[in-house]
């Protein structure tokens, strides 16, 4: 049994780890163990379905062992990091379980990521391989992977999941089907080891990679499945991109598998596609971000949809769900609404399925576990009186104690005694439910997609026509926040426009969801009245002005 700690990983202090084991939070089971147990218990139950696949637990188990054996032959070994950039399709599950079984660490990238995100992620994780798709939604992912490979020294292997065995692949890329070997011997693993790296919203410089262990993540998966009342008859529809922590584990695809239920996939979350999938697969639960929930509600209120009667629970999370929308979800879709407030770093809060309606409408729920500790504190770290706004800090059995190999981010994001500073402003109600009021940090939450102001400003500052730029989130009725860029032009006679700025940012290989929604050209930025103004203060001032105008 390996006992050394992965370099760059900050484990829980030994006393805390021992406590979480004694309390039964950490069980010593790995992801591979869970799948083995399910395949033994209900081999013929359907584990994963999409438009082209229908795999039983026995088949998923065999496939993941087979691919793990093939990847080992290719040279992928325990603790190697492997970028996974796949759309919602059955092979995502096969691939990540194969990597889990090898002890190799999937790094969960999003289909929307482009060079500007993938190069820093591959570099920071020193990834040796990438698993990607061929052409998907008219975009050539294998070509993107190849362009990353030439820029990142450690990256040797490109593996492509493709429906078209004859498709031309970049030189050096291989069809993953070549690695479905006869299942062989696999390594013994330790559940306290890091299982994968999840991503936190980007910022300039080194991306924040989130190390999650088998022990801690499986606790959150198990507890989520209990809170969301999953069982063998659950059919969870993966609507959001499954690399996100929410559809992955809250309770997500892993919760459904843990409960012996079925994971159904849709590559496209629009009502037209997703409603058909709900009818076809008999979906019982899914998770949405607020703008998507609004689209679904509006479509359902018009009537004449496919049969949605199998659907029992719709979760909304990732960004604040307005009360007006929250009220409409249940009646429109014929479901129980569940609000979810979570983060890839750990803590996840849920409203419970039997909560009174006012709790479900007006709060983002309470921590899933009695062992989660949450505090709202002022800027000096002192706890604020109950019911008043404060900065949310947390620790617990599935909240990380540090990012992967990033001491600088750790110094900012963790207190000396190991609490994670979430960056969220919350009110903790006397009944324990949290109301998320906003973010303290310099982030725009655009309908659940988080955009770092600093990261986007750095791109804009490269624009030859822009002297300085400040990014803030401004209120938007659908997205919650939209991305507004305040820019000072180099030449007042030749001002940048929304179209030219977007084209420029896109040309730098930045994911589409980070494109500014508005460009406001200004001569100067306002004074904040304290002499030299920090960019942080400036963002705050502009945001306050935007909120009242
Ligand atoms: P990430 O860093 O991408 O894992 O995003 C986590 C952040 O998303 C949280 O810290 C919150 O700022 C935000 N978030 C997630 N769920 C909610 C929610 N239900 N309401 C408001 N904000 C949310
Ligand atoms: O936004 C998130 O990151 C999020 C939302 C809901 C999350 O990580 C989660 C649930 O687990």
């Amino acid at each position: 049994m390996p006992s050394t700690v992965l370099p760059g990983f900050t484990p829980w202090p030994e006393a805390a780890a021992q406590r979480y084991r004694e309390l039964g939070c950490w069980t010593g089971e790995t992801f591979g163990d869970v799948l083995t147990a399910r395949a033994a218990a209900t081999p013929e139950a359907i584990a994963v379905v999409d438009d082209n696949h229908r795999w039983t637990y026995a088949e998923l188990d065999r496939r993941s062992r087979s691919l793990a054996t093939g990847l080992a032959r290719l040279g992928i070994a325990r603790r190697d990091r492997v970028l996974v950039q796949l759309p919602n399709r059955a092979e995502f599950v096969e691939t990540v379980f194969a990597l889990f079984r090898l002890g190799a660490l999937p790094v969960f990238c999003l289909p929307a990521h482009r060079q500007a995100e993938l190069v820093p992620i591959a570099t920071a994780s020193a990834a040796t391989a990438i698993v990607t798709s061929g052409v998907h939604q008219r975009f050539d992912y294998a070509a993107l992977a190849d362009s990353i490979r030439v820029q990142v020294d450690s990256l040797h292997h490109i593996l492509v999941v493709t429906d078209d065995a004859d498709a031309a692949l970049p030189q050096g890329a291989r069809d993953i089907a070549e690695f479905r070997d006869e299942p062989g011997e696999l390594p013994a693993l330790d559940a306290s080891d890091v299982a994968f790296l999840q991503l936190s919203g980007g910022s300039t410089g080194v991306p924040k990679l989130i190390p999650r262990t088998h022990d801690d993540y499986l606790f959150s998966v198990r507890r989520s499945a209990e809170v969301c009342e999953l069982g063998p008859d659950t059919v969870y529809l993966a609507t959001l991109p499954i690399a996100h922590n929410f559809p992955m584990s809250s309770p997500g695809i892993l919760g459904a598998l843990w409960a012996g239920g079925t994971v159904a996939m849709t590559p496209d979350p629009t009502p037209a596609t997703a409603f058909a999938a709900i009818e076809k697969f008999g979906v019982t639960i899914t998770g949405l971000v607020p703008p998507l929930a609004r689209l679904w509600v509006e479509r359902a209120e018009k009537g004449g949809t496919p049969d949605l009667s199998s659907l029992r629970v719709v979760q909304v999370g990732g960004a604040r769900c307005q009360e007006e929308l929250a009220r409409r979800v249940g009646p429109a879709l014929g479901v129980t609404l569940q609000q979810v407030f979570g983060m890839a770093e750990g803590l996840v809060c849920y409203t419970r399925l039997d909560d009174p309606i006012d709790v479900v409408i007006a709060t983002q729920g309470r921590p899933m576990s009695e062992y989660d500790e949450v505090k709202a504190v002022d800027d000096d770290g002192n706890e604020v009186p109950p019911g008043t706004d404060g900065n949310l800090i947390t620790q617990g059995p599935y909240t990380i104690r540090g990012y992967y190999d990033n001491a600088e981010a750790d110094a900012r994001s963790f207190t000396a005694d190991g609490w994670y500073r979430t960056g969220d402003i919350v009110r903790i109600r006397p009944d324990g439910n949290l109301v998320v009021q906003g973010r303290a940090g310099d982030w725009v939450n655009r309908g659940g997609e988080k955009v770092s102001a600093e990261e986007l400003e750095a791109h804009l500052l490269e624009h030859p026509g822009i002297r300085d730029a400040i990014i803030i989130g401004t209120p938007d009725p659908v997205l919650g926040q939209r991305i507004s860029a305040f820019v000072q032009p180099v030449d007042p006679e030749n001002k940048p426009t929304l179209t030219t700025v977007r084209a420029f940012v896109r040309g730098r290989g930045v994911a589409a969801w980070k494109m500014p929604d508005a460009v406001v050209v200004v001569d100067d930025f306002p004074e904040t009245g304290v002499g030299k103004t920090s960019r942080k203060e400036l963002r705050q001032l502009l945001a306050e002005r935007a909120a009242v105008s």
Side-chain angles (χ1 to χ4, degrees):
M1 276 283 213
S3 59
T4 54
V5 168
L6 176 74
F9 168 57
T10 307
W12 282 256
E14 193 42 47
Q18 203 182 330
R19 178 162 171 262
Y20 294 142
R21 285 194 190 95
E22 282 166 12
L23 290 169
C25 302
W26 296 358
T27 62
E29 251 188 326
T30 64
F31 287 101
D33 296 338
V34 169
L35 185 54
T36 304
R38 288 294 167 233
T42 56
E44 297 308 318
I46 300 300
V48 185
V49 280
D50 66 16
D51 281 334
N52 304 309
H53 307 87
R54 192 179 158 82
W55 293 341
T56 63
Y57 274 89
E59 198 168 351
L60 176 62
D61 184 53
R62 195 195 124 78
R63 278 182 165 268
S64 67
R65 289 174 191 277
S66 148
L67 184 57
T69 309
L71 295 179
R73 170 168 60 83
L74 179 66
I76 294 178
R78 183 174 160 252
R79 291 189 169 174
D80 283 355
R81 272 80 65 196
V82 178
L83 305 193
V84 176
Q85 188 183 36
L86 292 174
N88 291 5
R89 51 184 294 164
E91 291 90 345
F92 183 102
V93 186
E94 175 192 27
T95 302
V96 301
F97 272 93
L99 294 169
F100 288 157
R101 286 204 138 123
L102 276 180
L105 279 54
V107 184
F108 291 125
C109 304
L110 294 167
H113 283 148
R114 295 294 178 263
Q115 281 196 32
E117 290 84 21
L118 293 177
V119 169
I121 292 167
T123 306
S125 61
T128 58
I130 175 166
V131 181
T132 188
S133 41
V135 175
H136 173 70
Q137 293 182 340
R138 295 186 303 282
F139 183 81
D140 189 344
Y141 283 91
L144 173 64
D146 197 42
S147 73
I148 308 303
R149 185 183 54 81
V150 299
Q151 296 174 69
V152 180
D153 291 343
S154 61
L155 195 64
H156 298 304
H157 308 296
I158 300 177
L159 296 162
V160 184
V161 173
T162 169
D163 296 319
D164 177 4
D166 301 326
L169 297 178
Q171 223 194 348
R174 312 274 293 268
D175 186 336
I176 203 163
E178 290 175 43
F179 298 95
R180 295 200 178 104
D181 286 8
E182 199 48 45
E185 193 70 20
L186 293 170
L189 301 175
D190 187 331
S192 65
D193 224 340
V194 178
F196 62 86
L197 298 176
Q198 184 58 277
L199 302 179
S200 184
S203 60
T204 47
V206 187
K208 291 188 285 184
L209 300 169
I210 299 170
R212 302 291 301 257
T213 66
H214 296 266
D215 266 336
D216 90 76
Y217 209 63
L218 273 172
F219 171 67
S220 81
V221 164
R222 206 168 65 233
R223 203 45 216 132
S224 294
E226 286 164 6
V227 166
C228 302
E229 301 178 17
L230 305 192
D233 60 347
T234 291
V235 181
Y236 176 87
L237 182 68
T239 308
L240 300 170
I242 29 184
H244 266 300
N245 202 59
F246 180 15
M248 176 87 65
S249 66
S250 301
I253 62 169
L254 294 176
L257 294 174
W258 188 84
T262 300
V263 172
M265 306 271 190
T266 174
D268 162 13
T270 58
T273 314
F275 286 7
I278 291 169
E279 180 177 83
K280 180 170 167 187
F281 300 127
V283 170
T284 61
I285 175 170
T286 191
L288 305 173
V289 288
L292 205 49
R294 184 175 295 279
L295 270 185
W296 283 33
V297 163
E298 285 171 356
R299 177 64 196 85
E301 283 172 351
K302 287 203 187 107
T305 65
D307 181 4
L308 305 179
S309 61
S310 59
L311 202 55
R312 295 200 284 265
V313 175
V314 166
Q315 306 177 292
V316 178
R320 175 73 189 264
C321 181
Q322 289 168 10
E323 289 195 26
E324 165 270 326
L325 174 61
R327 275 183 211 289
R328 288 161 69 191
V329 173
L333 297 164
V335 299
T336 300
L337 166 69
Q338 179 177 51
Q339 293 216 37
V340 189
F341 161 53
M343 53 209 69
E345 285 83 353
L347 180 70
V348 182
C349 300
Y350 295 100
T351 58
R352 305 304 198 258
L353 300 185
D354 59 357
D355 270 345
I357 189 74
D358 65 294
V359 169
V360 175
I361 300 294
T363 83
Q364 281 64 58
R366 52 195 177 281
M368 68 164 117
S369 160
E370 62 195 292
Y371 310 120
D372 284 314
E373 298 170 67
V374 291
K375 275 202 265 190
V377 300
D378 63 19
D379 290 343
D380 299 323
N382 303 311
E383 216 164 338
V384 300
T388 56
D389 288 2
N391 302 298
L392 175 67
I393 63 171
T394 182
Q395 61 179 10
Y398 61 97
T399 294
I400 58 166
R401 295 298 181 119
Y403 289 104
Y404 174 70
D405 198 19
N406 193 338
E408 205 185 305
D410 288 351
R412 273 182 275 123
S413 298
F414 294 85
T415 68
D417 46 357
W419 294 71
Y420 171 57
R421 300 184 212 269
T422 66
D424 294 309
I425 311 280
V426 302
R427 181 159 60 85
I428 304 180
R429 302 197 332 176
D431 64 4
N433 288 295
L434 273 60
V435 179
V436 182
Q437 308 285 30
R439 278 198 71 88
D442 300 300
W443 292 86
V444 184
N445 188 335
R446 187 180 190 277
E449 298 286 10
K450 287 59 169 202
V451 180
S452 151
E454 200 187 331
E455 175 188 346
L456 195 48
E457 286 164 7
H459 285 296
L460 293 186
L461 289 173
E462 297 295 323
H463 188 296
I466 293 179
R467 187 150 57 87
D468 202 354
I470 291 285
I471 295 291
I472 60 166
T474 49
D476 181 279
V478 173
L479 297 166
Q481 288 193 310
R482 63 211 309 249
I483 303 170
S484 294
F486 287 75
V487 301
Q488 292 179 16
V490 170
D491 172 5
E493 301 302 311
N494 188 9
K495 295 176 180 163
T497 64
L498 180 61
T499 313
T500 57
V501 169
R502 289 173 69 107
F504 175 79
V505 177
R506 193 178 298 264
R508 290 179 59 78
V510 174
W513 87 75
K514 300 177 186 170
M515 296 303 132
D517 297 297
V519 168
V520 184
V521 179
V522 292
D523 296 335
D524 278 309
F525 292 138
E527 293 288 328
T528 54
V530 284
K532 188 178 171 309
T533 51
S534 72
R535 304 186 73 76
K536 199 180 180 72
E537 285 164 328
L538 207 46
R539 288 184 200 117
Q540 253 167 22
L541 189 75
L542 283 169
E544 281 159 20
R545 290 193 179 177
V548 293
S549 64

